[in-house]
Amino acid sequence: MATGILQDDAASLLFPKGFLWGVSTAAHQVEGGNDNQWSEWEKAGHIRSHDKCGKACDWWNSTEVDFDLAQSLGINALRLSVEWSRIEPQEDCFSESALQRYRQMLEDLHKRGIKPAISLHHFTNPRWFEQRGAFLNADAPARFERFTRRVVDELGDLCQLWVTFNEPNVYSTLGYVTGEFPPGQRGNIPAALRVMAAQARAHARAYRVIHELQPQAQVGWAHHYVVFHPVNNGLDRFVARVQSLIFNEGFFQLIEHGGFKFPFNLVGGSAPEAKGACDFVGLNVYNRFHVDFDLKSAGQLFGRVYVPAEAPQGDSGVEKPYGEAFPGAIRAAVERAARFGKPVYIMENGVPDARDRLRPWLIVNALKETHALTQEGHDIRGYFHWTLTDNFEWAEGWWLRFGLIALDPNTQQRTMRASGHLYKEIVRNNGLTKQLVEKYSQAPQQK
Ligand code: BGC
């Protein structure tokens, strides 16, 4: 049965009762003043825009303004991450005051009728952990388990939905293959695979600890899924498949089978304890890339990955396009994740778009796709838009703006974008009207 203001008839696309309408955020991007491997990376001059994270959205001091705005949108869920470097600033020394600060945030969300979802790891590591080799150190899974136990002990009564790792495939690929994230290694595919396997082992330990402390909890991870679209058949199709195998499939295989498939198992190690360790699959879905066979792209296994100029896309990164905004990616990701036979949450979806030119179209069409999938029987339990308020976008700094709410980081002034109002209307209706679907049937022209 569906609920909401709309009638459940042919004139509306209603979502199931209890569907989570949320937004996603991450500690380093919103809190300000963190001291972790990313703050080191920033000091070393690696932010392409040369921006400073600074106070970010100032959440460490106050979440009041943004939580009030979240409440005004009518959403019933918000995903945030807890910052490991604040909670365990030195190895095995935990900060009670940091844990209390997170308790406060979670209570403040509950007071506003918003269910929290917590990510335990969203790209950032304490510096002591990074200095010991991060996930390449054999002790990493045990260290992550100890951190998880402490967090769940302290905060478990306020949260039921846990994301262990955000995007292990992005963390490992950007950190060890493209060098865009710390530690900035390039071309080290074996290290990237070993990091992914270690994260799967750490995930499995966290999965078990959370269930030991909270048997009813729902535990999963958030998987970044990209569509690699071959331009033509033949070799283009082959290289696109290789890109997808490396980027999309690695972590899926670790959780599905406890190890990589051939040939990645030869160098990546395994994670037998991770087999089947998830209650849901979280999907972060943004982009499609076009791929053709190109002898000059040896570093990318002979696949040239690009975005055609005419494809709908939001604002470009400092040095390269962010990607083609492609609502159909949700279908590809959900159909792949269905092989787990577990519920799915769209844990992130969005577009960098300071002027809000494309975002309304993206939201409506991503939700249209999500709705169609639920009608076909896929058990999709929620949609979390990335993000609430513009925040610090990793190596792009303040250059890319993903918020339903615009932020001036200097004055901390917030302004609701039109897409914020639109999301509010959709949430209030628990679905889309046919008029909305018609209005946004065409992507705005690329300029
Ligand atoms: C990450 C977010 C990031 C977003 C937009 C996701 O891959 O989880 O931290 O801000 O994409 O690029």
Side-chain angles (χ1 to χ4, degrees):
M1 195 189 88
T3 53
I5 292 180
L6 293 183
Q7 295 300 308
D8 191 2
D9 58 24
S12 52
L13 276 58
L14 285 191
F15 282 74
K17 184 172 183 230
F19 191 78
L20 291 187
W21 292 103
V23 288
S24 270
T25 66
H28 187 74
Q29 298 180 267
V30 295
E31 287 179 354
N34 277 320
D35 180 20
N36 53 32
Q37 101 278 29
W38 264 94
S39 50
E40 289 294 295
W41 188 247
E42 179 183 315
K43 277 189 218 138
H46 293 298
I47 306 300
R48 292 184 195 117
S49 55
H50 306 295
D51 291 329
K52 303 263 179 282
C53 183
K55 285 189 186 171
C57 308
D58 207 19
W59 277 27
W60 196 248
N61 290 317
S62 169
T63 43
E64 195 103 337
V65 186
D66 278 335
F67 285 6
D68 282 348
L69 285 165
Q71 185 179 20
S72 80
L73 291 176
I75 57 176
N76 56 9
L78 186 146
R79 172 177 165 226
L80 51 75
S81 72
V82 287
E83 174 61 31
W84 189 357
S85 64
R86 286 193 188 275
I87 294 177
E88 195 180 352
Q90 272 146 36
E91 177 153 25
D92 209 14
C93 284
F94 290 86
S95 159
E96 202 43 49
S97 65
L99 286 159
Q100 284 313 313
R101 176 74 190 106
Y102 286 116
R103 272 201 83 76
Q104 183 71 54
M105 288 188 199
L106 301 178
E107 280 165 2
D108 288 349
L109 287 172
H110 282 290
K111 271 186 217 144
R112 290 167 171 83
I114 299 175
K115 275 190 198 143
I118 298 183
S119 317
L120 292 161
H121 188 273
H122 196 124
F123 297 160
T124 50
N125 297 325
R127 286 199 285 131
W128 60 262
F129 182 81
E130 190 73 14
Q131 279 156 11
R132 290 165 180 60
F135 287 92
L136 288 173
N137 185 308
D139 291 336
R143 290 179 171 137
F144 188 71
E145 176 182 343
R146 182 177 55 198
F147 162 68
T148 302
R149 182 176 290 282
R150 189 61 191 259
V151 170
V152 180
D153 248 343
E154 299 271 352
L155 307 177
D157 57 324
L158 296 170
C159 177
Q160 286 292 318
L161 193 58
W162 296 92
V163 173
T164 56
F165 283 92
N166 182 67
E167 305 183 342
N169 53 348
V170 170
Y171 174 90
S172 51
T173 309
L174 273 63
Y176 295 85
V177 182
T178 68
E180 293 163 88
F181 277 18
Q185 295 189 17
R186 285 174 198 272
N188 197 347
I189 292 178
L193 293 170
R194 291 206 312 276
V195 165
M196 250 195 261
Q199 290 197 323
R201 292 195 294 275
H203 160 87
R205 283 174 174 246
Y207 178 82
R208 296 202 168 90
V209 166
I210 299 172
H211 278 294
E212 177 196 320
L213 299 171
Q214 248 188 301
Q216 304 307 323
Q218 291 282 299
V219 188
W221 86 103
H223 193 90
H224 192 110
Y225 191 92
V226 166
V227 172
F228 293 97
H229 174 68
V231 178
N232 292 303
N233 275 322
L235 279 176
D236 293 358
R237 188 168 288 282
F238 176 74
V239 286
R241 204 172 136 64
V242 172
Q243 307 278 0
S244 180
L245 263 181
I246 291 186
F247 188 78
N248 290 323
E249 287 299 316
F251 204 80
F252 274 151
Q253 290 171 3
L254 287 160
I255 306 290
E256 263 174 334
H257 311 292
F260 296 111
K261 286 198 179 155
F262 181 80
F264 306 126
N265 58 343
L266 301 180
V267 282
S270 64
E273 60 274 59
K275 186 174 176 180
C278 73
D279 305 316
F280 67 84
V281 181
L283 295 171
N284 295 357
V285 191
Y286 291 83
N287 289 328
R288 170 162 82 170
F289 287 100
H290 297 242
V291 186
D292 58 15
F293 176 72
D294 174 28
L295 280 172
K296 292 195 287 299
S297 302
Q300 297 183 79
L301 304 171
F302 302 105
R304 183 176 68 107
V305 177
Y306 70 100
V307 183
E310 65 286 2
Q313 51 184 309
D315 300 335
S316 176
V318 176
E319 288 170 7
K320 55 179 189 178
Y322 183 75
E324 176 186 352
F326 182 58
I330 289 192
R331 171 167 294 275
V334 168
E335 287 179 346
R336 169 61 183 90
R339 289 187 357 217
F340 283 84
K342 301 275 167 88
V344 164
Y345 290 91
I346 308 302
M347 278 294 179
E348 289 182 26
N349 174 243
V351 59
D353 188 13
R355 286 174 300 139
D356 216 29
R357 189 180 54 82
L358 201 63
R359 191 177 289 104
W361 167 82
L362 178 88
I363 292 177
V364 168
N365 286 282
L367 287 170
K368 183 180 157 207
E369 200 70 68
T370 307
H371 180 266
L373 288 156
T374 61
Q375 294 303 103
E376 290 162 29
H378 290 281
D379 184 6
I380 307 176
R381 304 258 173 109
Y383 171 88
F384 291 70
H385 190 75
W386 185 273
T387 185
L388 180 64
T389 303
D390 287 342
N391 61 34
F392 194 74
E393 176 57 25
W394 307 111
E396 303 285 349
W398 295 105
W399 188 275
L400 292 181
R401 302 305 185 104
F402 282 88
L404 296 170
I405 298 157
L407 172 79
D408 178 336
N410 296 317
T411 61
Q412 289 290 313
Q413 185 75 36
R414 280 130 168 100
T415 314
M416 182 80 74
R417 293 195 166 101
S419 49
H421 295 290
L422 172 73
Y423 194 49
K424 176 177 178 170
E425 182 190 334
I426 295 170
V427 171
R428 190 182 57 227
N429 286 329
N430 194 36
L432 301 166
T433 57
K434 284 267 163 73
Q435 290 90 317
L436 218 46
V437 173
E438 266 154 40
K439 179 169 172 197
Y440 290 106
S441 60
Q442 296 297 320
Q445 288 287 305
Q446 275 305 120
K447 305 227 168 61

